[in-house]
Amino acid sequence: VGSSLPYIHSSADSSSHLSSTLTPQQYLQRMTDLQQMDLQSAIDQMRTLLSFYPQRVYKMAYYRKQTKNHWARDDPAFCFLQVIMLAASSIFYGFAFRIASFSAIVGFVAKSILIHWLGFGVVMASVGTVVANRHLMTAERSSSHVKQNVEWLYAFDVHCNAFVPLFVLLYGVQFFLLPLVLGTSLLSLGVSNSLFAIAFGWYFYITHLGYRALPFLSHTEVFLFPVVVILVIYVFNFMGYPFGVGWNASRIIAYIYFEN
């Protein structure tokens, strides 16, 4: 399945490719200056990602390619807000699980940001870039088309977009349902696993939309394959509960981070 966006072709693009490509170093430098960040735009994009039309966020990537010759965001406000939200929610979880020491709370905040968000994002962006560039590229349509590749920073952008609903469900909604999802009943297992299944299913759906938005990729439905795995695990847990093999995702995560 390809994108409906027009295939970009311009002789000017080939001459400006190196000079207009956004580097990770430039991106990090801009993160240190709040005046260069459009926080309101980032908030509006997050709202769109939680709406019925999350694909609208990727139209902005097409406009960036048209005007700046790169698909990735050059405004780090989106990432900045996610880091702040992760830090705040991790502190609340630390209080909820009665983490005694300040250093332990700081450690959990660091794990949430460096492992759950950044580490997971680096892996997903790297895998997505390799899969897209090696296996999903369409054949060039004519000699006038400039050969394009999926930028790693764009792939990380896709992860950040997909992380928004995951954060809302697993860091937000789940927090208020902790007394329920940490129980041992079938209801607790069902609510907990439903939250995780929807969160990760939504994550991979928005990931799919991000790669589908690139007009030089085809068969981007491969990014939906993990959803099938999620559904299989979800059903297996319900079927296995009467036999004592149902796993409550919330209880497992709580044990790993707060009881070990």
Side-chain angles (χ1 to χ4, degrees):
V1 178
S3 168
S4 60
L5 292 175
Y7 198 87
I8 299 171
H9 55 94
S10 169
S11 59
D13 283 352
S14 59
S15 62
S16 62
H17 178 75
L18 292 177
S19 61
S20 61
T21 299
L22 183 68
T23 66
Q25 291 78 10
Q26 292 172 325
Y27 192 84
L28 290 174
Q29 287 174 357
R30 293 178 183 181
M31 190 174 283
T32 61
D33 188 355
L34 282 174
Q35 294 183 346
Q36 293 194 36
M37 299 187 204
D38 188 345
L39 297 177
Q40 185 58 53
S41 175
I43 293 172
D44 291 341
Q45 291 176 59
M46 289 182 181
R47 289 173 178 168
T48 301
L49 288 164
L50 295 171
S51 72
F52 291 108
Y53 305 100
Q55 64 271 20
R56 290 177 177 172
V57 168
Y58 294 111
K59 290 184 179 180
M60 299 178 67
Y62 174 71
Y63 297 141
R64 280 193 297 270
K65 183 62 179 177
Q66 291 282 58
T67 58
K68 301 179 181 180
N69 197 31
H70 58 76
W71 295 93
R73 290 185 180 97
D74 48 13
D75 181 358
F78 199 90
C79 290
F80 176 79
L81 286 179
Q82 288 193 322
V83 169
I84 297 299
M85 292 188 302
L86 276 166
S89 63
S90 298
I91 292 172
F92 283 121
Y93 268 90
F95 289 147
F97 282 91
R98 299 179 181 178
I99 296 180
S101 66
F102 176 76
S103 60
I105 291 181
V106 172
F108 181 62
V109 171
K111 286 180 182 178
S112 297
I113 296 172
L114 299 179
I115 298 177
H116 301 168
W117 177 72
L118 182 60
F120 181 47
V122 168
V123 171
M124 292 303 298
S126 300
V127 171
T129 301
V130 170
V131 170
N133 288 334
R134 292 187 180 180
H135 305 291
L136 306 182
M137 301 291 289
T138 58
E140 293 186 65
R141 304 181 188 183
S142 75
S143 59
S144 63
H145 293 139
V146 177
K147 184 177 180 180
Q148 298 186 74
N149 292 309
V150 177
E151 306 159 3
W152 189 91
L153 274 177
Y154 176 79
F156 189 76
D157 258 359
V158 170
H159 157 73
C160 292
N161 291 339
F163 195 84
V164 170
L166 187 148
F167 171 85
V168 169
L169 290 174
L170 299 188
Y171 284 82
V173 175
Q174 182 180 226
F175 180 82
F176 297 100
L177 296 177
L178 283 177
L180 173 61
V181 298
L182 293 179
T184 57
S185 66
L186 178 60
L187 177 62
S188 297
L189 180 144
V191 173
S192 170
N193 291 351
S194 294
L195 276 175
F196 275 80
I198 294 171
F200 281 97
W202 206 341
Y203 177 93
F204 286 108
Y205 173 67
I206 292 182
T207 298
H208 156 70
L209 292 179
Y211 289 97
R212 191 179 73 176
L214 300 179
F216 50 87
L217 297 183
S218 62
H219 304 298
T220 54
E221 62 272 11
V222 298
F223 292 103
L224 290 173
F225 289 172
V227 176
V228 178
V229 178
I230 292 170
L231 289 174
V232 170
I233 295 174
Y234 180 75
V235 173
F236 174 81
N237 271 282
F238 270 109
M239 295 178 62
Y241 180 81
F243 306 99
V245 292
W247 305 318
N248 181 316
S250 298
R251 288 176 61 85
I252 292 173
I253 297 300
Y255 176 78
I256 291 173
Y257 287 102
F258 301 108
E259 297 183 22
N260 221 357

